[in-house]
Amino acid sequence: WICPVGNPESSPCVRGPGRPGGGDEAPPSPLPRLRGRSRLPSVQSPPTFGFLLDIDGVLVRGHQVIPAAREAFRRLVDPQGQLRVPVVFVTNAGNVLQRSKAQELSALLGFQVEPDQVILSHSPMKLFSQHHDKRMLVSGQGPLVENARALGFKHVVTVDELRAAFPVLDMVDLQRRPKTTPLPRNDFPAIEGVLLLGEPVRWETSLQLIMDILLSDGNPGTGLATAPYPHLPVLASNTDLLWMAEAKMPRFGHGTFLLCLEAVYRKVTGRELCYAGLMGKPSLLTYQYAEGLLARQAARRGWAAPIRSLYAVGDNPMSDIYGANLFHQHLQTRQEGAARSCAAILVCTGVYSPRARGPAAPALGGEGPTFHGHRDLGFNPGLLQAAHVVSDVHEAVRLVLGKEGWTL
């Protein structure tokens, strides 16, 4: 279980794979900074570094590519159309197929992006094999069933399917209420867990039916005098409160939906909603998953040198920067693995703007930053500080290549 609000060290919940850290870890080393430029070698050596690139606000805004992204990849792709260094695209989006996102990026960036270079917010759910055989209610939008099955879940029920089986559960929209009272169902198999893959379209319907599943222990056609606790396992991805599209101001993300669900559950039961897994940036699990993909990508290209330095480029201090710095802390105490550092680079083409008070700026009254992250990940204001703040991803790539002594 993921620890709910309060001090994680004193929480009765057991720490799950989506929540990093522990109270007995050694103090982390300072966050990595890029300093100066090394001498450029005459013959390019195999890369010992790799990129973790956010997508929305770094490479694209909505469906429009940011011009600096194309410039950046002119430096990262060789004349044969191959990447010169390992790169993974780490997004908190999840309402799309992995291969579709790879095809979209290929068209926008002008080179072939492979599906296994794309990490969606829910990609690490592949590691939660203990839940793959359970009958799971899945919430979100887009190709939900196909995504869930690609993650390994064999038995999934969508919110729409549950609503069709129990039409009297969804009563907010007067136009969708049943005109007659249907016969009760007693042949519907019990739901054994909940998958939250991304923000749904009809929030009131998803909130109501998810609550029904949790309060009825997976049998929404019945009523229980007391809500079971611990409740059924809940796996959630993408805790972003906000994200940046074409609009001038950030839009609600899945983190806002999770906040609503947690508040409703707490108000109704008097208890905290717990997660069996919480993933997507800034979860440590997402960065560990990305590190593994970078290593496999390097091995596939025949680059024998281990990938020691990771560079995470993002536009959201509360997810991209916080997560990269959290992973860097973890690397300083880890005994195994090749990576030694993860430098966080913040760009100004998305959520973060140096001209306005954003999530990483002091809140009104001087009481410190407004925390936009998820309650279970804790809050350390120092982890909001990027190693570098640059104008765009092209400047970020130039900075890293210079640091690593690569031809600009």
Side-chain angles (χ1 to χ4, degrees):
W1 292 102
I2 305 304
C3 296
V5 291
N7 182 358
E9 309 309 327
S10 61
S11 171
C13 291
V14 178
R15 185 168 64 249
R19 180 193 171 274
D24 55 355
E25 291 187 357
S29 69
L31 301 180
R33 293 192 62 82
L34 313 180
R35 302 182 184 278
R37 293 185 179 179
S38 306
R39 294 178 60 188
L40 301 180
S42 56
V43 177
Q44 196 67 73
S45 57
T48 58
F49 64 99
F51 285 96
L52 288 71
L53 299 180
D54 183 31
I55 297 176
D56 292 300
V58 174
L59 304 178
V60 301
R61 290 279 295 268
H63 295 288
Q64 300 296 318
V65 67
I66 295 173
R70 287 202 179 104
E71 293 298 322
F73 279 97
R74 287 192 182 100
R75 298 184 182 275
L76 292 176
V77 176
D78 66 21
Q80 288 73 45
Q82 296 290 316
L83 284 166
R84 302 168 64 202
V85 300
V87 174
V88 292
F89 302 90
V90 189
T91 176
N92 270 355
N95 296 321
V96 66
L97 294 173
Q98 192 176 33
R99 65 174 181 271
S100 298
K101 179 59 72 171
Q103 291 168 355
E104 177 188 347
L105 288 173
S106 298
L108 290 171
L109 300 176
F111 78 101
Q112 184 65 40
V113 176
E114 300 298 332
D116 64 359
Q117 290 179 275
V118 177
I119 301 175
L120 302 174
S121 61
H122 46 64
S123 293
M125 285 188 186
K126 295 175 183 177
L127 306 176
F128 287 78
S129 57
Q130 70 271 32
H131 299 296
H132 287 172
D133 289 325
K134 294 179 179 178
R135 185 173 168 86
M136 306 290 283
L137 176 68
V138 58
S139 169
Q141 58 182 289
L144 284 177
V145 173
E146 192 171 352
N147 265 329
R149 288 177 176 162
L151 294 170
F153 296 95
K154 301 178 179 66
H155 313 288
V156 294
V157 177
T158 67
V159 170
D160 285 342
E161 289 171 338
L162 184 64
R163 178 183 175 275
F166 299 94
V168 297
L169 298 182
D170 185 19
M171 302 296 283
V172 172
D173 188 342
L174 298 179
Q175 300 300 317
R176 301 215 308 170
R177 288 184 182 181
K179 305 306 180 185
T180 59
T181 302
L183 294 175
R185 293 282 300 266
N186 55 13
D187 61 341
F188 194 83
I191 300 294
E192 299 172 283
V194 179
L195 289 178
L196 305 176
L197 298 189
E199 57 270 25
V201 175
R202 287 181 171 267
W203 286 27
E204 78 284 357
T205 298
S206 292
L207 287 170
Q208 179 69 75
L209 270 62
I210 292 167
M211 284 293 297
D212 289 333
I213 290 298
L214 297 177
L215 297 179
S216 68
D217 204 30
N219 296 282
T222 64
L224 298 179
T226 304
Y229 199 84
H231 53 69
L232 294 174
V234 178
L235 296 172
S237 65
N238 182 3
T239 63
D240 279 354
L241 190 75
L242 305 169
W243 69 287
M244 201 69 193
E246 292 95 339
K248 299 298 183 183
M249 297 176 63
R251 304 292 86 197
F252 288 157
H254 192 219
T256 306
F257 178 80
L258 297 180
L259 186 65
C260 294
L261 178 62
E262 292 156 9
V264 172
Y265 187 86
R266 185 189 316 113
K267 194 69 173 179
V268 170
T269 67
R271 296 177 180 269
E272 297 296 340
L273 182 74
C274 283
Y275 295 93
L278 194 62
M279 55 219 75
K281 297 173 292 186
S283 165
L284 178 61
L285 185 63
T286 292
Y287 290 85
Q288 292 171 318
Y289 190 80
E291 180 192 9
L293 291 188
L294 284 172
R296 287 197 289 274
Q297 189 179 142
R300 199 163 55 236
R301 293 291 302 276
W303 296 326
I307 304 302
R308 298 293 189 189
S309 302
L310 307 180
Y311 298 96
V313 183
D315 69 304
N316 191 329
M318 284 291 176
S319 59
D320 303 312
I321 304 308
Y322 199 94
N325 286 336
L326 200 62
F327 187 49
H328 176 73
Q329 283 192 353
H330 170 73
L331 293 177
Q332 306 315 296
T333 59
R334 189 178 70 174
Q335 301 300 316
E336 73 288 342
R340 296 291 180 262
S341 66
C342 182
I345 304 176
L346 180 63
V347 299
C348 303
T349 50
V351 170
Y352 174 77
S353 171
R355 297 182 297 277
R357 187 181 74 82
L364 294 176
E367 65 270 23
T370 301
F371 182 46
H372 285 183
H374 192 268
R375 56 160 209 209
D376 292 353
L377 298 176
F379 182 46
N380 179 348
L383 297 183
L384 293 172
Q385 302 304 313
H388 279 272
V389 179
V390 297
S391 60
D392 53 45
V393 66
H394 183 210
E395 185 178 343
V397 167
R398 292 185 61 195
L399 183 69
V400 172
L401 294 182
K403 160 66 179 175
E404 294 292 335
W406 277 50
T407 304
L408 297 176

